[in-house]
Amino acid sequence: MKVSEVPQDITYYDGEKRACYALDDKGNYVVVTSTGWETEAIVNELAVEDLAAILEETRKAVLAGAKSPLCYYMELRQMNPEILGKTAGIAVFRVKRHFRPEIFSRLKPSVLKRYARALAVSMEELQTVPQPPKGR
Amino acid sequence: MNNELTCAGKSFYHLHAAHCESGVTAALFRDRGVDLSEAMAFGIGSGIFFGHLPFVKWVGLPITTYRSRPGTLFSKVARRLGGEFVTKKYYKFPWKADRTKEGMDDLRLLLRSGNIVGMTTNIYWLSYFPDRFRFQFNGHNIIVLREIENGFRVADPVLDHPVDCLTEDLERARFARGPLEPKGYMYYAKSVNPNPDFRKACITAMKDSCNMMLRTPFPFVGLMGIRYLAKATIKSPQVLGVREARRRLANIVRMQEEVGTGGAGFRFMYAAFLQQAAALFGCAELAGLSQEMTSIGDIWREFAIVSARVIKERGSQEETFAKAGGLMLICAGKEEQFFRDLDSAVGKLKA
């Protein structure tokens, strides 16, 4: 890759830059900053969209009463029951059980507190999921 | 803007690096007066690698890696250049359930005694990254320079300037749970050999890299790994269905370009290392190999571009999974030739 070929297609890193190794005119390697590459954006966007779609589905399921808000916040933090269980210090089978809204609503505050800490959300937030923005 | 002060009042010059671990390693050595570039650290740590682990799932997709396992690069450089580092890890015991506070206190103590401390963190909890780069990955290396008001000054080699990190974020990032958990892993230099033997270290490192790529008796790593993945990619639309195959391919490219700067990035970095090594040994053969590696990196990039078209279904006639897999096979062939040449070239070098 030559210096002139270092991708500067888009500003993808929110103002940050990424270092790339490229050859200058004399054939020596130098570090050049890149603002973003379209190819990278395509593949990353696919993964981000995937996650967002799953999250949205879960949010609807919570509003419909099929899942507990805990499941939503777990997915928001890109965790799975294993990671959440370890972080909160609660057995995985219990975490999975707490995805059921009727069981989640009966949880003791001490358990909720551990979840809130593990997920970095407040206790009040953990009780509900955000509503969709108005006008949509 | 890249000149920073450490806690002891020593100046620290932040260099923008392409990869976190090699960047951190090089910075720790530079701080102790050894002139070590990032590419050199990457080469001496034998960072170049390939592995595809179909049975290890990460967010439901198999892991593809283009560099050695996190943590090995640093320890190899330290060993080969004769640096003595103190490492600390906070294992959990039933009678010591939460060691977060202990870990943070130790960090503050070290900073106050004038050290800069490298550590492994979970990238999701480092909130100074743009949101779309934050995912649960427990292998990001950063350097903490000093404590500031309710936070720490952090030199993240992947960013081109030092940043502030909240104490709370750093706590979470250091003691995140899940696969490869960092357990508060941190390391700092105790003593560093001021005049390391670069020639000897380079020879050992290049031999090590050749062994890893050529002679690993395991079908998922090294060149066999590339070939395995290439064949799997060609067959994937029939085996997995087009949608899932597309996700898999996107993940391969994502691992190549995003996660820890990616395959092509690593190939170019290794080429930069070979160029520096060629100057060190005065060896034209290594310079030629550096150019060879550059051309391999270019093919990897082309693979990424073709894959992105397949994923986006642009020009679906000629850009197919078979073409993407074919490019990967070309890479495998060229890399095999490259590492065989490197192997014989290294044999002739004298420390």
Side-chain angles (χ1 to χ4, degrees):
Chain A
M1 187 164 61
K2 295 202 176 64
V3 168
S4 55
E5 290 165 5
V6 173
Q8 314 284 359
D9 311 355
I10 39 172
T11 48
Y12 190 57
Y13 309 127
D14 291 355
E16 305 292 355
K17 291 188 180 81
R18 168 167 273 184
C20 288
Y21 280 82
L23 289 168
D24 68 2
D25 300 338
K26 293 178 194 112
N28 293 320
Y29 264 98
V30 285
V31 178
V32 190
T33 55
S34 155
T35 57
W37 191 25
E38 210 194 335
T39 304
E40 196 185 318
I42 291 171
V43 290
N44 202 29
E45 221 57 13
L46 194 78
V48 171
E49 274 167 22
D50 252 13
L51 286 174
I54 295 171
L55 189 66
E56 180 59 23
E57 226 164 79
T58 311
R59 199 184 63 82
K60 284 188 182 137
V62 175
L63 290 177
K67 276 178 183 165
S68 75
L70 180 66
C71 187
Y72 173 83
Y73 285 104
M74 179 191 80
E75 281 172 9
L76 182 73
R77 296 293 182 212
Q78 301 179 16
M79 289 182 176
N80 55 23
E82 284 76 24
I83 300 180
L84 177 57
K86 274 186 169 176
T87 316
I90 295 170
V92 178
F93 81 91
R94 283 183 75 198
V95 174
K96 286 182 180 164
R97 202 163 164 268
H98 296 162
F99 290 164
R100 286 160 60 183
E102 71 275 16
I103 291 167
F104 181 76
S105 62
R106 280 189 279 129
L107 283 184
K108 280 187 287 189
S110 62
V111 178
L112 285 177
K113 206 173 149 193
R114 275 150 90 181
Y115 278 130
R117 238 182 88 95
L119 293 165
V121 292
S122 68
M123 298 263 282
E124 294 77 50
E125 274 178 302
L126 196 56
Q127 295 296 336
T128 103
V129 290
Q131 294 292 326
K134 275 181 191 136
R136 227 186 256 177
Chain B
M1 142 168 141
N2 286 339
N3 254 320
E4 270 290 322
L5 286 178
T6 64
C7 198
K10 219 161 94 177
S11 76
F12 174 87
Y13 189 74
H14 180 80
L15 275 184
H16 196 183
H19 174 45
C20 63
E21 198 173 355
S22 51
V24 165
T25 310
L28 286 176
F29 272 91
R30 272 201 306 272
D31 185 55
R32 288 303 180 110
V34 178
D35 185 26
L36 180 68
S37 68
E38 191 214 353
M40 205 69 178
F42 183 74
I44 290 177
S46 304
I48 197 155
F49 189 59
F50 183 89
H52 177 71
L53 307 170
F55 38 82
V56 184
K57 293 282 165 69
W58 182 65
V59 288
L61 292 162
I63 287 184
T64 310
T65 171
Y66 294 78
R67 50 103 178 239
S68 54
R69 197 165 59 83
T72 52
L73 196 155
F74 165 72
S75 56
K76 278 181 180 172
V77 175
R79 196 168 64 230
R80 285 172 188 161
L81 290 183
E84 211 182 313
F85 283 83
V86 182
T87 59
K88 263 191 180 167
K89 224 174 193 185
Y90 297 88
Y91 291 96
K92 292 217 157 69
F93 300 109
W95 60 92
K96 257 188 190 172
D98 191 22
R99 303 186 72 185
T100 312
K101 195 172 172 297
E102 191 188 342
M104 294 311 276
D105 286 347
D106 281 357
L107 172 65
R108 290 199 181 94
L109 208 67
L110 282 173
L111 291 175
R112 246 175 262 138
S113 62
N115 291 294
I116 57 169
V117 186
M119 56 182 60
T120 309
T121 52
N122 178 316
I123 204 165
Y124 183 84
W125 295 110
L126 298 175
S127 52
Y128 53 79
F129 271 105
D131 270 351
R132 50 166 96 89
F133 294 100
R134 290 169 61 186
F135 45 87
Q136 294 280 351
F137 170 62
N138 290 327
H140 187 64
N141 288 275
I142 56 172
I143 293 182
V144 176
L145 300 174
R146 63 191 150 89
E147 197 176 358
I148 51 170
E149 205 181 327
N150 66 51
F152 291 90
R153 192 74 177 158
V154 165
D156 193 317
V158 180
L159 301 177
D160 60 353
H161 53 87
V163 286
D164 295 337
C165 183
L166 295 173
T167 314
E168 195 188 302
D169 284 350
L170 196 67
E171 258 174 40
R172 284 179 191 282
R174 285 184 66 198
F175 292 90
R177 307 295 306 265
L180 287 175
E181 29 192 80
K183 297 192 182 79
Y185 184 60
M186 61 179 185
Y187 42 91
Y188 60 95
K190 195 174 171 194
S191 67
V192 171
N193 182 359
N195 299 305
D197 189 351
F198 277 107
R199 292 171 71 110
K200 201 175 148 209
C202 283
I203 292 174
T204 324
M206 285 191 256
K207 275 186 188 160
D208 187 19
S209 291
C210 290
N211 278 337
M212 283 202 298
M213 289 301 280
L214 293 171
R215 302 190 189 92
T216 319
F218 192 55
F220 303 116
V221 298
L223 292 161
M224 286 204 280
I226 307 182
R227 296 214 166 95
Y228 167 81
L229 182 60
K231 284 173 195 156
T233 305
I234 294 169
K235 277 189 284 183
S236 62
Q238 283 90 43
V239 179
L240 299 163
V242 176
R243 207 185 120 76
E244 179 64 17
R246 219 177 272 147
R247 274 185 72 209
R248 291 278 170 100
L249 187 61
N251 192 51
I252 295 167
V253 180
R254 189 160 176 245
M255 293 283 206
Q256 180 182 329
E257 298 304 333
E258 285 277 329
V259 181
T261 4
F266 288 138
R267 265 60 192 166
F268 292 130
M269 213 197 293
Y270 202 72
F273 159 69
L274 285 175
Q275 199 170 56
Q276 292 176 14
L280 187 70
F281 288 99
C283 172
E285 214 174 337
L286 286 181
L289 282 169
S290 163
Q291 283 173 13
E292 185 58 31
M293 200 38 148
T294 309
S295 69
I296 292 171
D298 285 333
I299 303 178
W300 275 114
R301 275 177 77 82
E302 201 188 323
F303 160 73
I305 294 170
V306 168
S307 303
R309 287 200 195 119
V310 174
I311 293 156
K312 271 248 156 177
E313 295 176 289
R314 273 189 211 148
S316 51
Q317 300 301 312
E318 65 270 26
E319 316 284 9
T320 55
F321 286 93
K323 190 178 172 189
L327 278 171
M328 227 191 281
L329 281 177
I330 296 174
C331 285
K334 287 193 102 170
E335 287 203 9
E336 176 160 20
Q337 191 57 45
F338 169 85
F339 282 105
R340 293 214 185 285
D341 291 348
L342 182 64
D343 210 18
S344 68
V346 170
K348 289 178 224 151
L349 295 176
K350 295 222 165 51

